[in-house]
Amino acid sequence: MADVRRIKGAVDLISNFPDEILQHILCFIPIKVAIKTSLLSKRWRHVWSGTPSLYLVWNGHNFKVDSMNKTLARYTAHKMTSFHLYADNINRSIESPDINRSIEFAMSKNVENMLLDIRYYRYNLPEFLYFSSTIKQLTLSVHNYYSDMKVPTSSVSWT
C-alpha cells in the first residue's frame, strides 16, 4: 500500500523537459515505439511528431500501408536531420512505390542524413534520390541475398 502512495505522489520530472529534449530522446527508438509514448498523457500526445529523426522499421510481418501513411501524415517537423528506413519484404507485402514514397517524404523534409537498409529483391533506387540540395550523407545497406538491387548511373546533385 505504501508503494502505491509513493507512486501517486511521485513527480514526473521527464515530462517537464522541453519538447526539443524529449524529441531528441525519442530519436533513438523506432517510430512505432515513439508513437506509443503519445498514450502516456496529454503532454506526450504530439511530442513524437516533431522529432528531427525518423527510424522506420517495416517488414512483411507488421507492415501496413495505411499505418505508414498515417505516420507520415502526422509527422510535423519542418527539418529532418536523419532518416533511417529498414524495409524487409519477407512476405512480399511491401511494394517499391511504398519504399519510394517514404524516401520522397524524407526528402520533402530536407533530410540531411539518410540510411537505407532495404532488403527487397530487385529494388531499384529512385532517380529522384540523386537530386537533393540537402542530403549530405547516404548510407545504403545491401545484403548478399538481395544483391540484385540496381543503382542508377545518373549523376548526383548534392551539396
Side-chain angles (χ1 to χ4, degrees):
M1 187 71 147
D3 290 337
V4 174
R5 275 184 260 157
R6 194 174 323 142
I7 291 171
K8 284 184 180 180
V11 177
D12 178 10
L13 296 176
I14 195 167
S15 290
N16 292 327
F17 290 165
D19 282 358
E20 293 78 18
I21 293 175
L22 296 174
Q23 290 164 346
H24 182 74
I25 293 168
L26 294 177
C27 287
F28 296 100
I29 59 175
I31 195 64
K32 196 171 188 176
V33 177
I35 290 171
K36 288 180 182 182
T37 64
S38 65
L39 300 173
L40 294 174
S41 69
K42 286 183 181 181
R43 164 73 177 101
W44 284 85
R45 187 169 294 155
H46 301 289
V47 172
W48 73 268
S49 64
T51 59
S53 298
L54 270 183
Y55 175 19
L56 301 176
V57 178
W58 293 320
N59 59 40
H61 300 297
N62 67 4
F63 180 77
K64 305 245 184 312
V65 174
D66 291 343
S67 175
M68 176 194 74
N69 291 336
K70 285 180 185 176
T71 298
L72 298 181
R74 292 178 181 157
Y75 185 79
T76 59
H78 298 290
K79 175 85 174 121
M80 187 183 296
T81 55
S82 67
F83 175 72
H84 179 172
L85 174 63
Y86 172 85
D88 190 341
N89 195 20
I90 295 170
N91 295 333
R92 305 261 186 238
S93 60
I94 303 170
E95 300 292 331
S96 292
D98 301 325
I99 296 170
N100 292 349
R101 193 173 321 114
S102 301
I103 295 170
E104 192 169 23
F105 177 81
M107 291 178 65
S108 76
K109 297 292 184 175
N110 300 315
V111 66
E112 293 178 359
N113 302 305
M114 186 178 291
L115 190 155
L116 302 176
D117 187 354
I118 301 173
R119 301 170 186 212
Y120 187 90
Y121 189 67
R122 295 184 189 250
Y123 175 74
N124 297 319
L125 290 171
E127 290 284 338
F128 65 77
L129 178 63
Y130 295 96
F131 301 98
S132 170
S133 60
T134 60
I135 292 179
K136 295 179 181 176
Q137 179 180 355
L138 171 66
T139 304
L140 180 62
S141 181
V142 180
H143 300 271
N144 290 337
Y145 50 93
Y146 292 105
S147 61
D148 283 347
M149 182 180 285
K150 306 249 185 301
V151 178
T153 56
S154 63
S155 61
V156 175
S157 176
W158 294 343
T159 53

